Amino acid sequence: MKNKVKEQPLPKWFTGVLYTSGSIVTNPFSGCSIGLTAAELSIYDFIMGCVMLNKYDAEFNKAMTWFRRANADAYMVLLD
């Protein structure tokens, strides 16, 4: 897992589940994997849930922006 100086806190608008630990996530299309912190994994799962439900609303856009700013490398591997 990539070492970071400081983990980004979850935004106040996020009402989803906060995981207690991070994990390695694999892009199902490219097969590339990257480590996520607990907060990043929580937001990533929220984003993927929105995609599965075809729910592209303001919270989805906020989550994408947060994820891109929190971990640009993971964003490029998993969501770009």
Side-chain angles (χ1 to χ4, degrees):
M1 190 178 286
K2 184 178 177 182
N3 291 332
K4 294 188 178 198
V5 175
K6 182 179 177 186
E7 182 173 340
Q8 295 291 323
L10 282 173
K12 291 179 181 170
W13 56 263
F14 183 75
T15 58
V17 176
L18 171 58
Y19 298 127
T20 57
S21 63
S23 183
I24 295 175
V25 178
T26 302
N27 181 317
F29 302 105
S30 69
C32 295
S33 298
I34 193 160
L36 299 180
T37 65
E40 292 165 355
L41 184 58
S42 297
I43 294 288
Y44 174 76
D45 279 356
F46 175 80
I47 290 168
M48 297 313 292
C50 288
V51 169
M52 290 177 68
L53 296 173
N54 204 21
K55 184 181 175 194
Y56 302 104
D57 58 6
E59 286 190 350
F60 170 80
N61 290 328
K62 288 179 189 177
M64 290 289 284
T65 299
W66 183 93
F67 196 88
R68 185 173 47 252
R69 289 179 180 160
N71 191 338
D73 292 338
Y75 178 84
M76 294 299 289
V77 170
L78 299 172
L79 299 170
D80 191 40

